[in-house]
Amino acid sequence: MKTLAQNLQEKLKASGLTQKELAERANISQVMVHKLISGKAKESSKLVAIANVLGTTAEELTTGKIRGSVEANAEWAGPMETWDSKTPLSDDEVEIPFYMEVELAAGQGIAEAPHYHGPKLRFAKSTLRKSNVDPANAACVRVSGNSMEPVLPNGSTVGVDTSQTNVIDGKMYAINHDGMLRIKTLYKLPGGGLRLRSFNLDEWPDERFDGDDMKHITIVGKVFWYSVLL
């Protein structure tokens, strides 16, 4: 049976990572990585983290035995970069208006970037292109309340594409409901009606709007992105 050190050596080589990169991604010292790979250390409390980075399991690293198939469901994107309002935009960045408090007047939209001087969020142009979002039609708003929990806790931020107003069943949209901005999952009903669904169905049951009731609702845009801090 191969040793932990031998298994680590093989997995590290297959990953194409250096010892330093493995240490950074597993949040472990490079010295400890070296000790494990050289066989000077026989165990570590960070073995699970190391295994996750290498796309395997702690059991396989220790014993060489594979229990079922292992498939990574996450990809390391690198450390977060710090910036502030004075940091210049890179060639692949664009700023999108971030509306902290939004009250909609009849006929008014939320994406008015040329005239907006408040907070803004930065997005990669390449990321927006992948989602077919034109920055000129995008805006970010803050979600309040608990109706969309657990997916969107109170204080979450969503990005809205105001050019996408055709309803696709089960997708999230921003709507103007009598001047109030709401984020809901929408479903089309016969005759042009809409069903508004919250994720927190225990406290917020479905809302149905037909006929004349629809004059109180305007589709602002489709949610293309959201961010949650736990």
Side-chain angles (χ1 to χ4, degrees):
M1 184 177 69
K2 292 181 180 179
T3 65
L4 171 61
Q6 291 172 324
N7 290 327
L8 273 171
Q9 291 168 18
E10 290 183 359
K11 293 295 182 181
L12 185 61
K13 183 178 180 180
S15 71
L17 299 174
T18 64
Q19 291 187 24
K20 180 181 179 181
E21 289 170 334
L22 174 59
E24 290 175 347
R25 299 185 184 191
N27 193 25
I28 186 174
S29 71
Q30 190 175 347
V31 173
M32 177 53 71
V33 169
H34 176 72
K35 287 183 177 180
L36 289 169
I37 291 177
S38 65
K40 294 179 180 179
K42 304 298 183 183
E43 59 182 19
S44 170
S45 60
K46 291 285 188 175
L47 202 56
V48 172
I50 292 173
N52 288 338
V53 173
L54 296 176
T56 183
T57 64
E59 180 182 8
E60 185 177 354
L61 288 178
T62 304
T63 66
K65 295 180 180 179
I66 301 176
R67 179 179 292 180
S69 60
V70 177
E71 181 180 355
N73 67 348
E75 181 178 338
W76 177 257
M80 297 181 67
E81 296 183 2
T82 58
W83 57 271
D84 57 28
S85 58
K86 297 180 181 179
T87 305
L89 290 171
S90 71
D91 293 339
D92 188 45
E93 284 185 314
V94 65
E95 289 183 324
I96 291 177
F98 178 27
Y99 297 89
M100 304 292 288
E101 301 292 341
V102 181
E103 185 174 336
L104 299 176
Q108 298 297 313
I110 61 173
E112 299 175 345
H115 310 291
Y116 182 77
H117 302 289
K120 297 179 181 179
L121 296 181
R122 296 188 177 196
F123 284 80
K125 295 177 184 178
S126 55
T127 299
L128 296 178
R129 281 196 298 269
K130 289 178 181 178
S131 299
N132 296 317
V133 176
D134 184 340
N137 299 324
C140 293
V141 296
R142 187 173 60 182
V143 177
S144 60
N146 70 343
S147 67
M148 298 301 281
E149 291 184 349
V151 177
L152 298 177
N154 181 48
S156 301
T157 303
V158 299
V160 179
D161 181 358
T162 61
S163 71
Q164 298 292 325
T165 56
N166 293 325
V167 174
I168 300 174
D169 286 347
K171 299 298 183 180
M172 281 192 290
Y173 291 82
I175 63 172
N176 179 347
H177 189 178
D178 276 340
M180 178 173 57
L181 184 68
R182 306 179 72 191
I183 304 295
K184 296 292 177 184
T185 299
L186 302 184
Y187 293 86
K188 291 179 289 188
L189 295 175
L194 282 177
R195 183 168 80 244
L196 278 57
R197 171 161 293 181
S198 302
F199 289 114
N200 184 2
L201 285 172
D202 290 339
E203 298 184 52
W204 299 86
D206 285 358
E207 302 171 67
R208 183 185 178 107
F209 294 88
D210 298 287
D212 289 342
D213 292 334
M214 284 300 299
K215 66 184 179 182
H216 300 288
I217 294 180
T218 303
I219 308 297
V220 175
K222 181 174 175 287
V223 173
F224 67 87
W225 167 89
Y226 59 86
S227 177
V228 179
L229 287 178
L230 302 177

